[in-house]
Amino acid sequence: MPEVQKTVQTGEMTQRFIEFVMMHAQNAALFLGQIPNPKTGEAEINLDLARMFIDQLEMIQEKTRGNLTNEEAMVLRNAVSNLQMAFVEASGAAGPQRAPQPESPQPGPSQPAEQPSSAAPEQSPPVASTEPESESRKKFTKSYGP
């Protein structure tokens, strides 16, 4: 009997974990401008908050490595990957720190339908920073774009 109860709890925990991952992914998508703000109805971009949610999902991915079901690992991996790509696109479209480049209309990688088409993806090589990073920044932050 305890085996059956454990299976039910495991199924419930899998569902809760997936809901938790999707909640974080939706928050990141909101701050990447992929989902309109429910209050204003307008897409808003806040790259710092989006990066925070993506970093949290990456931390969860790292800390739970080897302890997730295949379904949980796949959902988490796909969410992180899709959000990282969206972050790069959003930072390229909204990034004032980059030099303006001529935009050419080209089809982007396949993304979910809720993404606005206003963020045109830019294909450019990674830009090396001229500023030295502190040790703590190297350890605890990730860069998805320039």
Side-chain angles (χ1 to χ4, degrees):
M1 199 67 161
E3 294 298 322
V4 174
Q5 188 174 12
K6 182 178 180 183
T7 305
V8 171
Q9 288 177 346
T10 302
E12 288 175 8
M13 293 302 283
T14 294
Q15 185 61 34
R16 287 181 191 162
F17 181 80
I18 291 172
E19 289 172 0
F20 174 78
V21 169
M22 296 311 295
M23 180 181 63
H24 268 64
Q26 285 176 338
N27 282 326
L30 173 72
F31 294 119
L32 288 171
Q34 295 179 333
I35 300 172
N37 184 322
K39 291 182 181 178
T40 64
E42 299 290 322
E44 298 175 11
I45 296 177
N46 186 329
L47 295 179
D48 290 333
L49 287 174
R51 180 176 295 200
M52 180 191 72
F53 282 108
I54 296 169
D55 286 347
Q56 286 177 354
L57 286 172
E58 282 188 309
M59 182 250 332
I60 291 164
Q61 187 176 34
E62 181 63 30
K63 292 293 187 177
T64 59
R65 189 172 312 242
N67 293 320
L68 300 177
T69 66
N70 289 338
E71 181 184 14
E72 292 167 339
M74 182 185 66
V75 167
L76 183 55
R77 182 177 55 248
N78 289 342
V80 169
S81 176
N82 289 337
L83 289 169
Q84 286 173 337
M85 290 297 295
F87 183 91
V88 170
E89 291 175 8
S91 64
Q97 66 268 36
R98 293 175 78 177
Q101 298 178 357
E103 293 186 37
S104 60
Q106 55 185 348
S110 62
Q111 294 289 329
E114 73 255 12
Q115 286 187 339
S117 60
S118 63
E122 294 181 19
Q123 301 295 328
S124 63
V127 178
S129 175
T130 58
E131 298 177 15
E133 293 183 342
S134 68
E135 285 299 312
S136 64
R137 180 161 173 83
K138 288 181 185 176
K139 288 182 184 176
F140 299 110
T141 60
K142 299 238 183 219
S143 174
Y144 307 113

